[in-house]
């Protein structure tokens, strides 16, 4: 399980620091704000592991 996420300068996201993530998380936002980039970053991190 992923407990925290930290992204800096990844796509449209300048700085993201999420701590204490639970079992279910929901990401809501406008088009083009970086929701898919967060999923891509998590996918790449898990594939690298």
């Amino acid at each position: 399980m992923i407990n925290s996420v930290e992204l800096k300068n990844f796509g449209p996201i300048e700085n993201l620091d999420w701590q204490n993530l639970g079992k279910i998380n929901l990401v809501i936002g406008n088009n083009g704000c970086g929701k898919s980039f967060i999923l891509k970053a998590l996918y790449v991190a898990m594939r690298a592991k």
Side-chain angles (χ1 to χ4, degrees), residues 1-3 18-27:
M1 183 165 75
I2 298 171
N3 296 319
W18 279 346
Q19 302 296 321
N20 302 321
L21 296 175
K23 292 183 179 181
I24 298 175
N25 294 288
L26 181 65
V27 180

Side-chain angles (χ1 to χ4, degrees), residues 34-49:
K35 300 179 300 287
S36 295
F37 276 91
I38 295 170
L39 294 175
K40 289 177 186 178
L42 293 173
Y43 175 77
V44 169
M46 295 309 294
R47 291 286 294 179
K49 186 176 181 185

Side-chain angles (χ1 to χ4, degrees), residues 7-31:
L7 296 174
K8 292 183 181 181
N9 298 321
F10 187 78
I13 300 169
E14 290 181 19
N15 190 9
L16 173 69
D17 188 15
W18 279 346
Q19 302 296 321
N20 302 321
L21 296 175
K23 292 183 179 181
I24 298 175
N25 294 288
L26 181 65
V27 180
I28 300 173
N30 294 330
N31 290 343

